[in-house]
């Protein structure tokens, strides 16, 4: 815990000389094989951190804790909806990682090669991610809820040499097939050299999935005879660690590239400070590895700090509404980090459920992914936080890789406001020209300078990367609206671009529209997000049919399953309305803004460009 004064002092020092600040953090918190020659270089818009430095993130996440005598401590604990529990110590995890890393090498995987993971939230996925990092292969995790088409698009974009998957994932008592989705996704892709398949629930060999073809390898067989020693590849600070796809305002997802050095330093340090960690902490972040939160705050950040990180496969309310509360109690969780969507869901079930459980172990609570409604924040504080625990409302993005705006434990926290920029981060709320705007007025949230874990590139699309720094010339454009109050506390309001936030997941309007118009009956479409009590936002689609089709319930069903096939179930519109035409500008651009205003009964704003 820190005081407002202590924070202010350190923050001011960090801003006065961010290079000095981050250099000290890098030296004190991270082990390097070779020290950097230069802390920071900014050749606008490109930048690098810790140039010339060499390290491996897995050394920081595993080896150094073992050397320090913590090898027998639990690194990861896996739980699921059947209350099956698997725990793996730092020592065991390193052996598994090394075996898998050697397995990857035996398949010809080299530094810089791309490996796509399409897996359930199981320990083997953590092993696969770390094994890639161990040998310098670049992982790209695709959330296992995406469709075969969406997966294929990502595999093609990053030209993955290997895809790692499992036979199934478990959700609400049902097994969802993953392997068949991968089969469909990689069909005919010659550059994919191998698909590694984890057969779950099958310690006995006879239960294992029968694999077909010479391009498939059984996960267990691959590691069976591998050595458990694999020296960590000395990575350049600016070598890529991973690519993670996220939605933008265009139809195509962007492959956000993060590099080893800056990412290691920033995620380690934010985990340490934001969650005020103590030796022996049991830490639970409810995210999936398929999102950036799973990368930075289930895996790398917590392991780099030597915590015990929980990973729970499934949903908050299955098999019972107090499933998660039971886990907090049973595992004696000290730090709990989740999303507003999950909290809204838990809140709906009523206060009697949290009341039944003992939350004495909890010390710090957190939330991420979307704006948290003040009433949900207050509910969280009262019902899980016993009216006393700090709530870390962390604002950040796939592109930032780590927490950017948050009121650290001990600071004044206001319901619904993320708070202050983290150390070394200068944020502001500005107009479209980049001018600061007065307190309590809505504007664009920007970050003034590159920070260590800022995205370095968009894969195969450097121009798109540059746009982040040129949308408002010279600063990082977050794409969010925000308000800064008179104390400098920031409230993030939501996206300013055509990106929706469904249950804390980004989905581009254009992405859903592209999928809609690829349906044979659809001529044109426009997609907007509408407020939703649980999911934050839900999708509404306006659809113009081709003349030979007429509206029907069957057609709605068919269009919905088409979107599920093209993208994912989370991208399926809750509402589809058939319309005769869409509002457009004279140049033919569809005005989603107008549709949204009409839908929500708000002012339609400036309509001078509308072609009426
Ligand atoms: C977008 C980034 C950050 C990891 C998970 C989502 C929204 C995120 C908050 C918050 C208000 C938030 C923003 C942001 N967002 N955290 N605490 N308060 N909004 O990562 O998928 O890259 O989405 O999520 O709109 O731009 P992402």
């Amino acid at each position: 815990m820190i005081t407002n004064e202590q924070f202010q002092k350190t923050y001011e020092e960090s801003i006065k000389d961010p290079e000095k600040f981050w250099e000290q953090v890098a030296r004190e918190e991270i082990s390097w094989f070779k020290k950097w020659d230069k802390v920071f270089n900014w050749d606008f818009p490109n930048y690098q951190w810790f140039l010339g430095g060499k390290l491996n993130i897995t050394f920081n996440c595993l080896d150094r804790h073992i050397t320090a005598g913590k090898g027998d401590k639990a690194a990861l604990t896996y739980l699921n909806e059947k209350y099956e529990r698997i725990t793996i110590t730092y020592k065991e995890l390193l052996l598994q990682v090394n075996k898998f890393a050697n397995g990857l090498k035996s398949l010809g995987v080299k530094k810089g090669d791309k490996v796509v993971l399409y897996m359930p939230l199981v320990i083997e996925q953590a092993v696969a991610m770390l094994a890639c990092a161990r040998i310098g292969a670049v992982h790209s995790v695709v959330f296992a809820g995406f469709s075969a088409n969406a997966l294929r698009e990502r595999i093609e974009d990053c030209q993955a040499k290997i895809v790692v998957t499992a036979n199934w994932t478990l959700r609400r008592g049902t097994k969802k097939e993953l392997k068949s989705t991968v089969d469909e996704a990689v069909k005919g892709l010659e550059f994919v050299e191998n698909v590694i398949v984890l057969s779950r629930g099958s310690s006995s060999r006879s239960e294992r999935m029968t694999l077909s073809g010479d391009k498939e390898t059984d996960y267990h067989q691959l590691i069976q005879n591998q050595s458990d020693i694999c020296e960590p590849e000395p990575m350049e600070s600016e070598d890529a660690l991973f690519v993670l796809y996220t939605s933008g305002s265009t139809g195509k997802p962007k492959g956000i590239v993060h590099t080893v050095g800056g990412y290691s330093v920033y995620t380690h340090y934010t985990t340490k400070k934001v969650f005020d960690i103590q030796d022996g902490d049991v830490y639970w972040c409810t995210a999936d590895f398929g999102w950036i939160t799973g990368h930075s705050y289930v895996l790398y950040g917590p392991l780099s700090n030597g915590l015990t990180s929980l990973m729970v496969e499934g949903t908050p309310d299955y098999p019972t509404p107090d499933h998660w509360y039971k886990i907090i109690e049973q595992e004696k969780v000290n730090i709990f980090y989740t999303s507003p969507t999950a909290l809204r869901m838990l809140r709906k079930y009523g206060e009697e459920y949290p009341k039944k459980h003992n939350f004495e172990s909890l010390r710090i609570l957190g939330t991420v992914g979307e704006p948290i409604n003040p009433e949900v924040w207050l509910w969280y504080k009262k019902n899980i936080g016993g009216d006393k625990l700090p709530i870390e409302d962390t604002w950040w993005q796939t592109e930032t890789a780590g927490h950017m705006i948050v009121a650290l434990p001990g600071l004044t926290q206001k319901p619904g406001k993320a708070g202050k920029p983290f150390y070394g981060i200068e944020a502001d709320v500005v107009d479209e020209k980049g001018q600061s705007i007065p307190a309590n007025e809505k504007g664009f949230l920007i970050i003034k300078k590159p920070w260590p874990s800022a995205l370095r590139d968009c894969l195969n699309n450097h121009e798109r990367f540059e746009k982040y720094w040129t949308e408002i010339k010279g600063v990082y454009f977050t794409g969010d609206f925000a308000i800064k109050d008179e104390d400098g506390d920031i409230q993030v309001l939501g996206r300013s671009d055509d990106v929706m936030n469904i249950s804390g997941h980004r989905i581009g309007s254009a992405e859903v529209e592209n999928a809609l118009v690829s349906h044979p009956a659809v001529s044109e479409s426009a997609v907007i997000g509408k407020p939703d009590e649980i999911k934050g936002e839900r999708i509404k689609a306006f659809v113009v049919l081709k003349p030979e089709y007429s509206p029907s319930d069957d057609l709605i069903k068919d269009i919905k399953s088409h979107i599920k096939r093209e993208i994912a179930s989370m991208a399926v519109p809750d509402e589809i309305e058939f319309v005769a035409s869409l509002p457009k500008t004279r140049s033919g651009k569809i005005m989603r803004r107008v549709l949204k205003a009409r839908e929500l009964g708000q002012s339609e704003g400036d309509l001078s460009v509308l072609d009426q």
Side-chain angles (χ1 to χ4, degrees):
M1 295 273 186
I2 53 160
T3 62
N4 286 310
E5 294 68 38
Q6 284 167 334
F7 172 77
Q8 203 51 37
K9 186 170 168 283
T10 311
Y11 179 74
E12 272 159 27
E13 278 167 19
S14 75
I15 292 306
K16 211 162 60 200
D17 194 346
E19 292 182 35
K20 185 174 159 207
F21 180 81
W22 290 117
E23 173 157 45
Q24 190 179 343
V25 174
R27 197 175 48 233
E28 289 174 0
E29 303 286 344
I30 298 294
S31 297
W32 299 76
F33 300 141
K34 175 180 171 287
K35 206 186 156 226
W36 51 91
D37 308 313
K38 191 167 187 230
V39 181
F40 177 58
N41 182 49
W42 196 6
D43 180 10
F44 186 86
N46 303 304
Y47 40 85
Q48 298 91 29
W49 284 88
F50 312 112
L51 283 90
K54 284 187 193 242
L55 76 167
N56 189 296
I57 197 166
T58 69
F59 184 89
N60 283 290
C61 287
L62 302 168
D63 308 59
R64 66 165 165 170
H65 304 312
I66 297 163
T67 316
K70 292 188 189 159
D72 293 324
K73 183 177 173 180
L76 296 169
T77 296
Y78 162 91
L79 286 154
N80 64 20
E81 49 193 47
K82 294 194 262 175
Y83 294 94
E84 286 165 339
R85 184 179 192 276
I86 302 168
T87 197
I88 185 164
T89 65
Y90 275 93
K91 219 191 261 169
E92 289 160 351
L93 183 57
L94 177 62
L95 299 184
Q96 292 298 318
V97 168
N98 285 344
K99 277 172 170 284
F100 195 79
N102 286 326
L104 287 174
K105 280 186 181 171
S106 76
L107 295 175
V109 178
K110 298 201 170 54
K111 183 178 166 182
D113 285 343
K114 309 290 193 310
V115 176
V116 162
L117 311 185
Y118 185 76
M119 300 186 78
L121 188 63
V122 290
I123 287 176
E124 287 85 350
Q125 181 167 200
V127 168
M129 289 168 81
L130 292 163
C132 288
R134 190 85 175 164
I135 63 172
V138 177
H139 60 69
S140 185
V141 180
V142 178
F143 175 60
F146 278 110
S147 70
N149 285 338
L151 173 61
R152 184 184 181 90
E153 185 179 12
R154 288 157 177 77
I155 293 172
E156 277 193 297
D157 189 72
C158 76
Q159 295 282 303
K161 198 168 183 173
I162 303 281
V163 178
V164 191
T165 189
N167 43 358
W168 45 262
T169 179
L170 191 61
R171 204 181 153 83
R172 295 189 187 280
T174 339
K175 285 180 183 174
K176 183 182 166 269
E177 262 282 320
L178 295 181
K179 169 64 168 49
S180 51
T181 309
V182 172
D183 288 344
E184 204 184 322
V186 301
K187 207 168 180 183
L189 298 184
E190 289 302 319
F191 56 84
V192 177
E193 293 178 10
N194 224 297
V195 176
I196 301 171
V197 187
L198 171 73
S199 265
R200 303 181 67 186
S202 52
S203 36
S204 74
R205 198 163 305 171
S206 58
E207 276 180 72
R208 276 192 201 149
M209 192 161 192
T210 334
L211 297 179
S212 58
D214 56 358
K215 274 183 140 190
E216 290 183 4
T217 306
D218 177 84
Y219 184 106
H220 294 290
Q221 261 165 25
L222 177 70
I223 61 172
Q224 202 166 42
N225 297 318
Q226 298 295 340
S227 153
D228 54 23
I229 297 170
C230 174
E231 290 306 321
E233 180 74 26
M235 301 290 283
E236 292 285 341
S237 182
E238 283 295 323
D239 280 336
L241 173 63
F242 65 83
V243 176
L244 184 60
Y245 286 89
T246 189
S247 295
S249 48
T250 64
K252 213 172 136 51
K254 304 172 274 191
I256 305 297
V257 179
H258 286 291
T259 54
V260 185
Y263 181 86
S264 295
V265 171
Y266 199 83
T267 55
H268 174 95
Y269 196 62
T270 46
T271 305
K272 180 167 170 163
K273 292 293 161 184
V274 171
F275 301 117
D276 193 22
I277 60 165
Q278 292 174 12
D279 211 22
D281 271 346
V282 175
Y283 165 100
W284 182 17
C285 165
T286 64
D288 188 278
F289 288 138
W291 313 108
I292 190 69
T293 313
H295 287 57
S296 302
Y297 299 112
V298 180
L299 192 68
Y300 292 116
L303 293 191
S304 183
N305 280 283
L307 300 176
T308 298
S309 183
L310 246 58
M311 26 193 297
V312 181
E313 188 184 13
T315 50
D317 58 346
Y318 187 89
T320 55
D322 60 348
H323 179 52
W324 278 12
Y325 303 142
K326 276 189 196 162
I327 294 175
I328 294 175
E329 185 170 355
Q330 175 193 313
E331 299 298 324
K332 298 193 173 52
V333 171
N334 305 111
I335 299 158
F336 180 64
Y337 186 30
T338 191
S339 69
T341 288
L343 292 170
R344 287 191 292 256
M345 189 192 258
L346 295 174
R347 177 171 173 254
K348 198 185 68 181
Y349 287 109
E351 295 192 350
E352 65 269 29
Y353 289 102
K355 279 209 179 80
K356 280 195 280 189
H357 295 274
N358 178 347
F359 297 144
E360 255 165 37
S361 59
L362 287 174
R363 213 177 61 245
I364 305 273
L365 302 177
T367 153
V368 61
E370 17 162 4
I372 182 164
N373 336 42
E375 62 275 21
V376 176
W377 192 99
L378 291 167
W379 178 89
Y380 193 18
K381 180 108 178 166
K382 175 172 172 234
N383 290 282
I384 303 185
D387 262 333
K388 57 177 194 295
L389 302 186
I391 297 187
E392 302 310 306
D393 177 358
T394 59
W395 176 89
W396 56 294
Q397 309 178 299
T398 305
E399 292 87 341
T400 73
H403 303 142
M404 300 295 281
I405 298 177
V406 54
L408 295 180
L411 301 188
T412 310
Q413 297 182 328
K414 302 174 187 168
K417 295 189 181 180
K420 303 244 174 1
F422 190 70
Y423 299 127
I425 304 295
E426 270 185 280
D428 201 1
V429 177
V430 302
D431 63 16
E432 65 280 351
K433 293 197 188 73
Q435 299 297 319
S436 291
I437 61 166
N440 298 315
E441 282 182 28
K442 176 176 163 181
F444 299 104
L445 177 65
I446 57 106
I447 311 292
K448 292 192 177 162
K449 288 181 194 153
W451 58 101
S453 66
L455 78 164
R456 297 299 197 271
D457 202 3
C458 293
L459 196 70
N460 307 322
N461 193 351
H462 197 65
E463 245 169 66
R464 185 60 197 78
F465 163 81
E466 291 182 355
K467 252 187 97 180
Y468 283 98
W469 296 91
T470 52
E471 189 89 32
I472 293 179
K473 186 86 187 159
V475 299
Y476 172 78
F477 187 74
T478 66
D480 277 325
F481 281 129
I483 293 177
K484 187 155 80 169
D485 69 15
E486 54 287 346
D487 304 325
D489 285 312
I490 293 173
Q491 175 186 11
V492 178
L493 301 166
R495 303 291 303 191
S496 65
D497 51 5
D498 285 312
V499 172
M500 298 171 291
N501 191 327
I502 314 298
S503 308
H505 303 313
R506 259 156 82 166
I507 297 171
S509 290
E511 231 174 305
V512 182
E513 289 162 2
N514 284 353
L516 281 165
V517 296
S518 71
H519 185 281
V522 177
S523 152
E524 280 183 310
S525 78
V527 164
I528 60 163
K530 282 173 72 173
D532 181 276
E533 216 188 310
I534 302 291
K535 297 194 282 187
E537 271 192 307
R538 78 185 118 107
I539 303 178
K540 167 147 191 185
F542 297 87
V543 166
V544 180
L545 290 176
K546 289 182 186 161
E548 61 272 32
Y549 288 86
S550 42
S552 73
D553 286 348
D554 280 347
L555 186 55
I556 289 182
K557 259 194 226 138
D558 196 60
I559 292 175
K560 285 188 176 180
S561 55
H562 178 75
I563 304 297
K564 191 172 166 185
R565 247 184 347 263
E566 287 294 310
I567 312 174
S569 19
M570 68 189 159
V572 174
D574 286 287
E575 271 179 86
I576 295 181
E577 183 179 331
F578 296 113
V579 291
S581 66
L582 296 168
K584 286 184 193 157
T585 60
R586 277 177 215 115
S587 59
K589 204 168 168 291
I590 293 168
M591 294 181 81
R592 300 184 188 107
R593 172 173 70 79
V594 171
L595 284 166
K596 186 158 179 168
R598 281 181 194 161
E599 187 69 23
L600 304 182
Q602 295 164 346
S603 144
E604 293 179 16
D606 179 9
L607 294 180
S608 57
V609 291
L610 185 69
D611 187 15
Q612 280 169 324

